Amino acid sequence: MSFETILVESPSAGVTLIRLNRPEALNALNTQLLGELSQALDAAEADETVRCVVLTGSEKAFAAGADIKEMSDKTYAQMFSMDFFTPAARRLEQFRKPVIAAVAGYALGGGCELAMLCDFIIAAETAKFGQPEINLGVMPGIGGTQRLTRFVGKSKAMDMMLTARMMDAAEAERAGLVSRVVAADKLLDEALAAAAKIASQSPLAVMMNKELVNTAYETTLSTGVAVERRLFHSLFAFEDQKEGMAAFVEKRKPDFKGR
Ligand code: HXC
């Protein structure tokens, strides 16, 4: 598969690396890029050797938002009928394997929303997060008002959305938006190492862990805990559970087969 606005690589067994690649526009997210991203995700989901995806941008920008030049003249009818950004967002929402966002530089507007659609964010010290859509007379359109508020709470979310101020990496880590902050030149190594670690686990247990953390956002505590208990018990139907526990007892590395 060849793409013009993203680069897809396989840096190690089980890991797909997707780089957003519109350097001339700070990786602004246009229809072509979003379509190619969806296709690359489709391929990664369908390939059973792929266990984890890393999504990254450049040193300067993860993505500076939806493409303002593409959007600026659109009518309501066009935005409604093309359902701008939604298919790519749905693709990520429904993606069953883990996706790590490795963010350096700007993650603004739709770029911040895209990072939040991933399962967790590893940030370089240079990362800057923001929802500056208010400066354009609009607002986030792909979950930012909802997801950022859940990540960082009402006060910081309001502050960022109403004043358009950016959050640096240290503040983003304190606020719980990102899982870790690393030196810029270590960002990809760190994200790929995390992905390789995930790729070495039982893919079945990985998918169930992911589903359950996401369930926490969608349901009550008692319902979530009940679903977790059922799925925890069900893991004992898999060979991977036997292998994982046998390997511990035998003091060796487990060899998970995804069965
Ligand atoms: C289109 C963009 C862009 C964007 C940058 N560029 N962001 N093009 N859409 N979102 C382009 C610039 O026009 C410029 O192209 C080139 O990238 C370099 O950008 P500069 O502005 O010259 O760089 P710099 O001075 O370093 O400033 C960086 C920046 C600034 C602070 C990130 O570019 C900026 O404020 N960008 C817009 C951020 C934003 O408002 N994002 C939200 C978009 S709305 P030329 O051709 O001039 O060299 C959104 C809605 C999501 O995301 C909802 C979807 C449903």
Side-chain angles (χ1 to χ4, degrees), residues 149-212:
T149 306
R150 281 169 162 79
F151 276 113
V152 306
K154 177 180 170 183
S155 192
K156 277 189 189 290
M158 283 284 191
D159 182 0
M160 287 172 72
M161 270 174 248
L162 301 183
T163 70
R165 87 167 170 89
M166 295 182 208
M167 206 184 251
D168 66 18
E171 184 180 3
E173 187 182 27
R174 281 199 305 279
L177 178 59
V178 311
S179 70
R180 28 181 148 157
V181 178
V182 300
D185 61 352
K186 296 278 180 303
L187 176 67
L188 214 49
D189 288 349
E190 186 99 357
L192 292 176
K197 177 74 183 161
I198 291 168
S200 73
Q201 313 285 18
S202 163
L204 305 168
V206 164
M207 277 195 285
M208 280 203 194
N209 272 274
K210 170 170 168 158
E211 268 184 39
L212 263 292

Side-chain angles (χ1 to χ4, degrees), residues 15-115:
V15 177
T16 292
L17 172 64
I18 303 177
R19 296 177 196 260
L20 307 178
N21 188 35
R22 294 189 70 214
E24 72 287 357
L26 301 182
N27 293 332
L29 306 164
N30 64 5
T31 308
Q32 182 183 5
L33 185 151
L34 293 168
E36 291 185 354
L37 178 60
S38 294
Q39 283 178 48
L41 290 168
D42 281 344
E45 187 90 283
D47 182 344
E48 64 173 31
T49 67
V50 175
R51 304 275 181 90
C52 187
V53 174
V54 174
L55 181 61
T56 196
S58 67
E59 275 176 27
K60 181 148 191 212
F62 177 73
D67 192 315
I68 300 166
K69 293 166 191 167
E70 184 184 55
M71 265 186 312
S72 59
D73 290 333
K74 293 268 185 287
T75 63
Y76 172 43
Q78 286 169 321
M79 290 300 271
F80 178 74
S81 61
M82 76 192 286
D83 210 6
F84 183 67
F85 216 135
T86 306
R90 290 240 168 85
R91 192 67 202 85
L92 276 165
E93 283 166 351
Q94 291 165 4
F95 200 71
R96 299 188 74 201
K97 300 172 184 180
V99 184
I100 303 171
V103 175
Y106 297 111
L108 302 179
C112 187
E113 295 174 287
L114 182 63

